[in-house]
Amino acid sequence: MARRKDSPQKAAMREMMRDYLKNNDISIKDGTDVNSIMRDMMSVILEGALDEELDEELGYSKYDYRNKETDNSRNGHSSKTMHTSYGDMDVAIPRDRNGDYEPQLIKKYQNTVTQDMEEKILSMYAKGMTTGDIESHMRELYDIDISDSTISRITDKILPIVKEWQERPLEEVYAVVFMDAIHYHVRSEGRICKTCGLHCLGIDMNGKKDVLGMYVGENESAKFWLSIMNGLKNRGVEDILIACVDGLNGFPQAIEAVYPKTEIQQCIIHQIRNSTKFVSYKDIKKLMADLKLVYAAPTEETALNELELFKDKWDSKYPKIYKSWHDNWATLSTYFKYPEAVRRLIYTTNAIEGFNRQLRKVTKSKTVFPSDDSLLKMLYLATMDITKKWTGHRQDWGQIHSQLEIYFEERLAGRNL
């Protein structure tokens, strides 16, 4: 296939490169040779652009003293090592005598050049690699000697983006919101503390799934939960039809305080796990079969009857199981109100459990995070990496939506959904 017609700029560059290779007796045998040439070219381009910047700053070009209208002047160059996708290179940064010149192309503390290299670092961080792993990886693959502190500074650039994302406007109404927590270890004031990372996932009235927010808190207090719910309210969420939570203490009360009409469903799977945590291995199979008669019952009335039968059979040996189900029944039994399609959606937090499973794959490499910001950066980057694959809505959403409209007719009345 014939080569497409070059633009004048590309034709001039092609001619220049041909002369450069020929006159300097340079042969290109592999990618390393190409990288070496690209480093030289980038260095020349950057140094030329920086000299032009200083000309603009001083108001006259080099040796053009007749047009000089300032007492400032050039004062040589300082060398700076820059990290690029083609490897490390030294760049001569021009200086002025008065120290007024602040380079804009390569800023004072900047030591990386190409955006794609920073994107590579952020991508590796999003996959759960530590700063030490990234440092080693960049050295081995790209021959770039970049410190872990530089990597931290690059990843810190996303913190304002995270804040903006956390404060973005949301939909007015969400059909279902799932809330689940993962615990991490974070270093704070010389101590290693257990930190709660709460993830909030919503399904809007069109069936589209979105992560509404991620929240890092030192402890699971009622004040922390309440601040999260008020944050959603302030971002435009007027109503949540059903909230599914994993049994976090005080969370149902926080939801009711901000969204008093919201139906709360406590995750059945979490309840089962907590119930069977200390059951003897020889009893677990029979106990689970009896417990299934409760949560898989066709109606709430049948479920309550089965719960009483469960009590009669197992209360003498495992009294805490019945008590836990009985005390939490108000939030455990919400799904009995709805048809099968809605039940399947809300009786567990599977929708967010899958998301959390992917987050754990990313965060498992870091047993202790140096700060809350470090944890938040990794969670945000991992979230962006995971959610970019989310497209469309649930296949059964048409059926679910019509059933939700019937059950929440009054609350949805007047809303253009």
Side-chain angles (χ1 to χ4, degrees):
M1 182 171 134
R3 181 185 293 165
R4 289 179 297 178
K5 187 176 181 181
D6 287 341
S7 64
Q9 294 87 349
K10 189 171 181 180
M13 186 176 291
R14 192 187 300 281
E15 188 65 30
M16 180 185 70
M17 284 303 301
R18 186 183 294 114
D19 291 342
Y20 172 77
L21 296 174
K22 182 179 178 182
N23 295 336
N24 292 278
D25 194 25
I26 295 173
S27 61
I28 298 176
K29 298 177 181 177
D30 53 31
T32 303
D33 295 332
V34 174
N35 277 358
S36 178
I37 293 171
M38 293 303 294
R39 276 200 305 272
D40 291 342
M41 285 182 63
M42 187 177 289
S43 173
V44 170
I45 292 169
L46 288 173
E47 288 172 353
L50 288 167
D51 285 334
E52 289 290 333
E53 269 191 16
L54 185 56
D55 288 350
E56 187 71 24
E57 174 78 17
L58 297 176
Y60 72 98
S61 59
K62 197 174 182 180
Y63 308 123
D64 186 17
Y65 297 106
R66 288 176 297 179
N67 293 319
K68 182 177 179 181
E69 297 179 359
T70 176
D71 60 352
N72 200 359
S73 60
R74 289 166 180 75
N75 189 30
H77 295 78
S78 60
S79 181
K80 188 172 188 178
T81 300
M82 303 297 297
H83 307 301
T84 78
S85 295
Y86 306 110
D88 289 350
M89 68 180 185
D90 290 327
V91 177
I93 309 291
R95 298 177 303 198
D96 65 320
R97 196 165 295 281
N98 293 348
D100 297 332
Y101 170 57
E102 289 284 345
Q104 296 303 304
L105 182 61
I106 299 176
K107 297 188 184 296
K108 193 171 183 181
Y109 297 107
Q110 180 184 346
N111 56 8
T112 60
V113 177
T114 50
Q115 186 69 26
D116 65 315
M117 194 196 72
E118 293 193 2
E119 288 173 358
K120 286 185 179 80
I121 290 172
L122 290 175
S123 176
M124 286 185 277
Y125 199 79
K127 295 292 190 295
M129 292 179 68
T130 64
T131 53
D133 291 336
I134 296 172
E135 180 185 0
S136 174
H137 189 77
M138 297 298 285
R139 187 183 298 112
E140 290 174 8
L141 288 189
Y142 301 106
D143 194 27
I144 297 173
D145 190 13
I146 187 167
S147 67
D148 57 353
S149 59
T150 299
I151 294 167
S152 291
R153 281 199 299 272
I154 290 171
T155 57
D156 280 346
K157 290 180 182 180
I158 69 160
L159 286 173
I161 299 171
V162 176
K163 185 179 179 182
E164 186 180 343
W165 178 79
Q166 290 278 57
E167 296 173 354
R168 76 194 189 282
L170 299 174
E171 297 289 331
E172 187 178 339
V173 178
Y174 282 90
V176 186
V177 169
F178 299 90
M179 298 178 187
D180 197 9
I182 303 178
H183 291 91
Y184 306 95
H185 290 96
V186 177
R187 196 178 302 279
S188 175
E189 298 178 355
R191 297 183 300 114
I192 295 175
C193 304
K194 201 172 186 180
T195 294
C196 170
L198 182 85
H199 312 286
C200 181
L201 186 149
I203 299 178
D204 66 18
M205 295 305 294
N206 295 315
K208 290 186 178 178
K209 188 169 58 171
D210 187 23
V211 177
L212 308 185
M214 299 174 304
Y215 309 90
V216 175
E218 192 170 328
N219 50 49
E220 300 175 20
S221 64
K223 186 178 179 182
F224 179 51
W225 303 143
L226 195 59
S227 69
I228 291 170
M229 301 315 301
N230 281 321
L232 294 178
K233 186 88 171 178
N234 294 335
R235 291 165 63 195
V237 181
E238 292 296 326
D239 198 4
I240 297 170
L241 302 186
I242 305 170
C244 302
V245 297
D246 69 351
L248 296 164
N249 290 330
F251 215 155
Q253 292 80 3
I255 296 170
E256 287 170 0
V258 181
Y259 298 104
K261 294 181 179 180
T262 296
E263 297 274 7
I264 298 171
Q265 172 64 57
Q266 189 172 325
C267 178
I268 298 295
I269 301 302
H270 279 82
Q271 179 68 17
I272 292 169
R273 285 177 192 160
N274 293 333
S275 300
T276 58
K277 197 180 293 182
F278 303 109
V279 174
S280 168
Y281 178 76
K282 66 180 181 180
D283 294 331
I284 190 70
K285 199 168 183 180
K286 292 179 182 178
L287 186 141
M288 280 298 298
D290 291 338
L291 204 54
K292 186 174 182 180
L293 295 174
V294 178
Y295 65 80
T299 65
E300 184 176 1
E301 184 181 359
T302 305
L304 284 169
N305 289 334
E306 293 294 345
L307 187 60
E308 291 304 316
L309 292 173
F310 181 91
K311 177 187 176 184
D312 295 340
K313 185 174 180 179
W314 296 102
D315 212 42
S316 59
K317 200 168 186 179
Y318 304 109
K320 289 186 177 180
I321 297 179
Y322 170 82
K323 185 178 186 310
S324 176
W325 282 77
H326 181 269
D327 292 348
N328 293 303
W329 189 252
T331 53
L332 285 170
S333 61
T334 302
Y335 68 102
F336 284 114
K337 298 178 183 179
Y338 305 104
E340 185 63 27
V342 179
R343 285 192 192 191
R344 285 198 306 270
L345 175 64
I346 70 171
Y347 92 105
T348 74
T349 53
N350 277 352
I352 197 169
E353 283 283 346
F355 170 71
N356 283 349
R357 206 161 32 244
Q358 294 180 75
L359 284 182
R360 286 189 182 95
K361 288 180 184 177
V362 172
T363 57
K364 68 180 179 181
S365 62
K366 298 204 64 157
T367 52
V368 179
F369 287 86
S371 66
D372 284 350
D373 280 348
S374 174
L375 171 59
L376 194 60
K377 285 187 296 185
M378 183 167 283
L379 291 177
Y380 171 78
L381 288 169
T383 296
M384 295 301 103
D385 199 41
I386 294 165
T387 56
K388 68 184 179 184
K389 302 167 189 171
W390 293 358
T391 57
H393 53 72
R394 290 175 61 101
Q395 292 181 343
D396 59 349
W397 187 252
Q399 186 181 3
I400 293 172
H401 185 267
S402 61
Q403 291 174 357
L404 288 172
E405 282 187 323
I406 293 170
Y407 281 85
F408 297 99
E409 184 178 357
E410 284 188 20
R411 283 163 63 185
L412 294 175
R415 298 184 190 274
N416 185 19
L417 303 172

